[in-house]
């Protein structure tokens, strides 16, 4: 009887257990991809807008009055220093040179006669054959004739220079522009007439500016080391964001602020051996102005923004999420440059940011950037084993 009672009690307990509701499993904390950040030194770069200008630009002008006979060079071609570009009618200068040469011959003859007379007077003066007054007059005449001959030689030299100016040459090597005066025009009357311009295109100047406020902030920052002229580099970006093949070097920084714009003028020298860059063009410049010390590079998905500014989430040793406000600016290659708000060794959440909230428990795992589709390996039987979970 007792055994029967025990069997009934056991069956009742089993039936009661079968009717009780099943307890749901405790959900696991979401898995997130994290990176451990460390301070590092990175280049101090700024994207600026600049304008290209010739390294040297020289006006080709008529330096003597005359009629322009012909243009010798081809417009838009490269010319060398000293190359003849224009020819001015040399006939008036040749005639003037002939007159100056004749005057020189006459002056030299007069000087020769005066010198002979003075020498004779010097020889006769000790014997008292000539008076002292005659001797003084002979010596004075010799000196005057010598000065006249010297002036005549200068006139000849001046006439030769003017005749040389009839052949208008390139003052520098570079690319000659279009002709400003046509053949047959009278040039050089009262002023040096502009005939053309020669621009040196290799290298070029890149002129740009930076806000004086920004420059003052960089100079006052403890973690910024600015480079001087000759050390800072400038990269020219072509259309489509393509980097120009040759890197420029900063060679000038103004010591005053432009009161109309509040900026400081800077200038860089950019090699242009292929003449691919043209003066007058506006270009985007990536200026490397120095170095930033003790900063952090964080992948772009990790940085969020709200009304309070930029922030990100980190995972503590206890596995809980902490929110950290920070100061950040865009850097290259899809990363943010964090200058304040992080500490060395912080584990920053990069993947799964949308699933976490401050104070929640998470399961951190090392984050790996996604590979481009073209470079990704073909999926195998174990594909997805290392992928970030979407829980």
């Amino acid at each position: 009887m007792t055994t029967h009672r025990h069997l009934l009690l056991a069956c009742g307990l089993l039936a009661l257990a079968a009717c009780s509701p099943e307890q749901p499993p405790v959900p696991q904390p979401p898995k997130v991809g994290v990176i451990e950040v460390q301070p590092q030194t990175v280049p101090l770069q700024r994207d600026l807008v600049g304008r290209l200008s010739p390294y040297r630009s020289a006006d080709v002008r008529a330096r003597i009055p005359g009629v322009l006979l012909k243009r010798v060079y081809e417009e838009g071609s490269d010319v060398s220093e000293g190359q003849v570009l224009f020819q001015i009618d040399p006939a008036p200068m040749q005639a003037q040179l002939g007159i100056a040469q004749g005057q020189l011959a006459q002056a030299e003859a007069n000087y020769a006669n005066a010198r002979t007379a003075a020498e004779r007077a010097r020889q006769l003066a000790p014997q008292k054959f000539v008076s002292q007054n005659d001797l003084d007059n002979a010596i004075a005449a010799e000196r005057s004739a010598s000065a006249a001959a010297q002036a005549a030689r200068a006139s000849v030299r001046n006439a030769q220079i003017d005749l040389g100016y009839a052949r208008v040459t390139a003052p520098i090597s570079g690319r000659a522009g279009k002709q400003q005066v046509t053949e047959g025009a009278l040039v050089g009357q009262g002023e040096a007439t502009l005939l053309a311009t020669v621009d040196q295109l290799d290298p070029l100047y890149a002129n740009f500016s930076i806000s004086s406020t920004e420059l003052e902030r960089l100079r006052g920052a403890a973690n910024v080391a600015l480079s001087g002229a000759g050390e800072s580099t400038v990269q020219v970006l072509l259309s489509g964001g393509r980097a120009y093949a040759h890197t420029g070097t900063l060679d000038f920084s103004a010591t005053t602020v432009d009161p109309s714009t509040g900026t400081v003028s800077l200038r860089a020298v950019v090699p242009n051996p292929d003449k691919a860059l043209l003066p007058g063009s506006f270009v985007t410049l990536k200026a490397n102005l120095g170095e930033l010390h003790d900063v952090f590079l964080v992948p772009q998905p990790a940085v969020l923004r709200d009304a309070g500014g930029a922030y990100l989430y980190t995972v503590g040793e206890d596995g809980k999420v902490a929110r950290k406000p920070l100061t950040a600016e865009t850097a290259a290659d899809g990363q943010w440059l964090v200058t304040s708000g992080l500490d060395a060794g912080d584990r920053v959440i990069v993947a799964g940011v949308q699933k976490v909230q401050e104070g929640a428990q998470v399961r951190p795992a090392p984050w790996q950037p996604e590979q481009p589709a073209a470079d990704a390996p073909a999926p195998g039987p174990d594909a997805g084993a290392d992928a970030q979970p979407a829980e």
Side-chain angles (χ1 to χ4, degrees):
M1 188 67 179
T2 303
T3 302
H4 182 67
R5 187 180 298 115
H6 288 167
L7 289 174
L8 291 175
L9 180 60
C11 290
L13 292 173
L14 289 174
L16 184 62
C19 295
S20 63
E22 182 180 356
Q23 297 295 328
V26 178
Q28 290 187 338
K31 187 176 181 181
V32 295
V34 301
I35 60 169
E36 183 174 318
V37 295
Q38 296 293 339
Q40 52 187 301
T41 298
V42 299
L44 173 60
Q45 294 183 337
R46 290 292 184 270
D47 289 338
L48 304 168
V49 176
R51 190 173 187 178
L52 301 177
S53 64
Y55 187 74
R56 290 191 298 173
S57 182
D59 291 338
V60 181
R61 295 182 178 271
R63 304 173 67 176
I64 56 169
V67 176
L68 186 65
L69 291 183
K70 61 180 178 179
R71 168 177 52 84
V72 181
Y73 76 102
E74 182 179 352
E75 293 175 307
S77 63
D78 291 332
V79 297
S80 302
E81 181 179 354
Q83 178 179 337
V84 177
L85 304 183
F86 296 92
Q87 179 67 56
I88 297 175
D89 185 6
M93 281 69 72
Q94 290 172 342
Q96 190 62 38
L97 176 59
I99 294 173
Q101 289 173 337
Q103 292 174 345
L104 174 59
Q106 182 179 2
E108 287 179 339
N110 293 336
Y111 172 63
N113 295 334
R115 184 178 56 184
T116 301
E119 185 63 29
R120 183 180 302 111
R122 290 188 188 94
Q123 293 175 357
L124 297 177
Q127 288 81 25
K128 306 297 181 178
F129 291 140
V130 295
S131 65
Q132 185 64 37
N133 185 55
D134 292 340
L135 176 61
D136 293 340
N137 291 338
I139 294 175
E142 179 188 20
R143 291 173 180 171
S144 297
S146 175
Q150 185 175 355
R153 281 191 290 270
S155 296
V156 170
R157 179 58 183 156
N158 187 61
Q160 290 173 339
I161 292 173
D162 286 346
L163 180 59
Y165 287 157
R167 301 169 69 251
V168 184
T169 60
I172 61 173
S173 298
R175 183 160 295 175
K178 68 176 183 178
Q179 179 180 357
Q180 300 294 323
V181 179
T182 60
E183 292 81 358
L186 184 63
V187 298
Q189 292 293 325
E191 62 179 10
T193 306
L194 176 64
L195 303 180
T197 301
V198 178
D199 296 322
Q200 182 177 342
L201 303 185
D202 181 28
L204 288 178
Y205 280 134
N207 301 283
F208 57 103
S209 60
I210 186 172
S211 167
S212 58
T213 305
E214 171 74 0
L215 187 59
E216 183 178 357
R217 184 186 68 82
L218 294 176
R219 286 175 174 172
N223 64 336
V224 175
L226 293 177
S227 301
E231 300 175 354
S232 300
T233 58
V234 173
Q235 182 69 59
V236 176
L237 300 181
L238 304 176
S239 58
R242 296 180 297 113
Y244 182 58
H246 304 280
T247 302
T249 305
L250 185 72
D251 80 320
F252 170 77
S253 176
T255 56
T256 58
V257 178
D258 187 341
S260 61
T261 61
T263 59
V264 177
S265 297
L266 303 173
R267 188 183 69 190
V269 178
V270 181
N272 190 30
D274 301 327
K275 310 297 191 300
L277 302 178
L278 297 178
S281 304
F282 286 96
V283 292
T284 300
L285 304 172
K286 186 176 290 294
N288 186 357
L289 303 178
E291 292 181 339
L292 282 171
H293 302 286
D294 299 326
V295 295
F296 301 87
L297 288 177
V298 177
Q300 190 171 4
V303 179
L304 307 173
R305 286 186 178 273
D306 60 11
Y311 67 95
L312 50 70
Y313 291 115
T314 61
V315 180
E317 294 296 333
D318 56 357
K320 292 186 177 180
V321 176
R323 170 175 167 153
K324 286 198 170 186
L326 47 88
T327 303
E329 59 186 52
T330 306
D333 302 326
Q335 293 184 312
W336 283 88
L337 182 66
V338 178
T339 56
S340 65
L342 284 178
D343 298 313
D346 279 350
R347 294 188 296 174
V348 176
I349 299 178
V350 180
V353 180
Q354 69 279 2
K355 299 177 298 182
V356 303
Q357 59 182 357
E358 187 174 6
Q361 194 80 23
V362 294
R363 290 182 296 146
W367 175 79
Q368 296 294 334
E370 295 182 359
Q371 293 182 343
D375 299 334
D382 298 330
D386 297 331
Q388 300 287 352
E391 45 189 312

